[in-house]
Amino acid sequence: MAITAIKGFNDILPAESGRWQHIEQAARRVFELNGFSEIRVPIMEKTDLFCRSIGDATDIVEKEMYSFVDKGENSVTLRPEGTAGVMRAFIEHKLYAQDPVAKLYYLGPMFRYERPQKGRYRQFHQIGAEITGVHDPLADAQVLNMLVQFFREIGLDEPQLQVNSLGCPECRPAYRAALIEFLEKRVDALCEDCRRRLSTNPLRALDCKVPGCIEATAGAPSVLDSLCTGCDEHFSGVKRYLELTGTSYSINPRMVRGLDYYTRTTFEMVTTLLGSQSAVAAGGRYDGLISQLGGPAIPGIGFAMGVERVALLLGEKAFTRPPDLFMATLGSGERAFAFNLMHKLLQKGIRVEMDYEGKSLKSQMRRADKLGARYCAVIGESEVASGRAVFKRMADGGQVEAAMEVSEVLEILS
Ligand code: HAM
């Protein structure tokens, strides 16, 4: 029996890879414009890094990590997200010593042992960006504006930006206590998971999709009502800067993130077009993470988008470049002639295709059509003898007769 890929691990086939490149190139363009530089970190880290940053009581650490013991008896984990590894590198290489304000972006595969479905996979890809060293809400607003700019750049009006603030170690404990008190009164209505997480991660109940939990948490206290003055002012600043720059957003006080490192601003770009996988990109502020990982007390904020989800939103549109010219040939001598011309045109950046194996003219023309070639030229004995051919514009059948010289072909195709 043939060996297949692992469940939840996908091949990105040529028909899709153009869309992926379109997404990646737009992200690089927009992020670099905003002053971000790429950082490449390993896809595997010590397991402890993720336990300490993402949090022991999160779904990711509790049940979704690809962890194993390597031959040296070390517990290692395929990264379930990018922020922890990037911050580990930021601390390890003392990037903060030159300038605590670092703007970094990364892209690559992440791994979570989740139940695969449309938009949710076990190997998936993120493009993420992080800014360190800025407490001011200006950094939050720039990160959000950059994300919105990225979606505009790739031609999507969806998804919509939702923001929230989760407070800080000063004010969150009081909110947590109030929420636990509220949930304890309704514990019988909660699902088993939410009951189990009641004392370790009560906020998850706000995000639970089980109908009983949705009903039970309907009147739950809002995190925004218990923010301390500092967090409240910070959140007002984020909203003010978004309004100043005309960025539309809505506030979602029930937004819960699946990672423990967040403080203050959190956000998601959500869509209704992907069923239950509504978050296309998500992130937030993590002012305590760098010190928690053994670095200096430097704040941070960032996001990651799921490339598969962005690609799904882009739909079937092809982003591959069709050939500029297809040369159909009638015999082996003509094939050699066409091959030489193709070689010269390729040096000039012209995308040319031809038949390699002496197929019939009919089948060559079918291929030219299938590839979506802009122009087609049939090269037979007389064309080789005269050095001239007819170049047919496939869109409307318009024809130009010209010499098969690089300069003339370039002119036709321009
Ligand atoms: P996250 O919300 O866990 O945040 O993931 C970010 C995005 O990755 C999600 O919104 C979704 O688009 C995509 N994603 C997550 N899991 C899957 C999956 N199993 N299959 C397909 N796509 C998925 C983080 O990872 C944080 N590190 C984001 C961040 C950066 N926060 C601050 N900086």
Side-chain angles (χ1 to χ4, degrees), residues 3-301:
I3 298 173
T4 57
I6 304 167
K7 185 176 170 191
F9 285 61
N10 298 318
D11 300 306
I12 312 302
L13 300 175
E16 295 162 86
S17 58
R19 212 174 316 147
W20 279 61
Q21 286 167 4
H22 175 70
I23 296 167
E24 288 162 2
Q25 284 159 9
R28 287 181 186 283
R29 220 169 29 245
V30 172
F31 295 2
E32 283 173 18
L33 178 74
N34 279 269
F36 286 69
S37 312
E38 186 177 1
I39 181 165
R40 300 186 188 202
V41 293
I43 61 163
M44 199 155 74
E45 299 273 359
K46 293 178 182 163
T47 301
D48 258 1
L49 174 69
F50 302 115
C51 299
R52 266 168 62 183
S53 53
I54 298 170
D56 283 325
T58 58
D59 280 356
I60 297 179
V61 171
E62 260 188 3
K63 44 191 184 196
E64 295 171 0
M65 295 212 299
Y66 277 89
S67 301
F68 62 96
V69 177
D70 72 7
K71 290 192 200 308
E73 303 286 310
N74 309 298
S75 177
V76 293
T77 296
L78 289 177
R79 62 182 182 191
E81 59 105 48
T83 312
V86 169
M87 290 308 133
R88 195 259 320 129
F90 177 77
I91 298 165
E92 188 169 339
H93 302 286
K94 298 194 172 54
L95 296 187
Y96 52 83
Q98 303 146 19
D99 185 354
V101 183
K103 296 181 184 178
L104 306 167
Y105 77 88
Y106 51 91
L107 34 95
M110 309 289 158
F111 304 86
R112 294 183 194 175
Y113 194 84
E114 294 195 78
R115 201 163 41 79
Q117 54 176 262
K118 183 180 170 191
R120 188 164 75 195
Y121 311 102
R122 290 181 173 170
Q123 175 179 294
F124 61 99
H125 295 75
Q126 285 187 343
I127 305 181
E130 318 282 351
I131 303 190
T132 60
V134 187
H135 284 286
D136 198 279
L138 270 179
D140 308 47
Q142 187 179 1
V143 157
L144 289 169
N145 282 344
M146 180 168 93
L147 191 53
V148 171
Q149 186 183 5
F150 162 80
F151 282 105
R152 247 201 333 260
E153 179 95 1
I154 58 165
L156 289 175
D157 319 321
E158 270 265 340
Q160 304 294 320
L161 174 61
Q162 293 188 348
V163 295
N164 191 23
S165 174
L166 290 181
C168 67
E170 296 281 299
C171 54
R172 195 164 337 143
Y175 174 66
R176 226 171 150 264
L179 184 63
I180 291 177
E181 196 188 324
F182 175 89
L183 293 173
E184 272 172 347
K185 288 188 193 128
R186 293 153 181 85
V187 69
D188 294 339
L190 299 179
C191 73
E192 208 181 299
D193 262 354
C194 287
R195 240 180 283 165
R196 184 175 51 80
R197 292 187 297 224
L198 190 63
S199 56
T200 53
N201 202 348
L203 271 75
R204 291 310 305 266
L206 299 176
D207 186 41
C208 183
K209 304 288 183 297
V210 175
C213 296
I214 295 177
E215 209 175 302
T217 59
S222 162
V223 64
L224 295 176
D225 293 335
S226 54
L227 296 182
C228 60
T229 315
C231 289
D232 195 41
E233 280 172 5
H234 192 273
F235 194 46
S236 299
V238 175
K239 292 184 286 184
R240 203 170 48 244
Y241 288 129
L242 291 178
E243 276 148 31
L244 176 73
T245 48
T247 301
S248 46
Y249 66 91
S250 58
I251 294 174
N252 178 3
R254 292 174 66 96
M255 181 195 301
V256 173
R257 306 281 301 115
L259 307 98
D260 279 357
Y261 50 61
Y262 291 115
T263 50
R264 297 192 163 170
T265 317
T266 53
F267 53 90
E268 290 188 348
M269 298 288 290
V270 297
T271 178
T272 50
L273 304 176
L274 296 179
S276 57
Q277 307 315 310
S278 60
V280 183
R285 192 168 258 286
Y286 45 86
D287 291 348
L289 177 63
I290 296 172
S291 56
Q292 208 175 304
L293 291 176
I298 292 178
I301 178 165

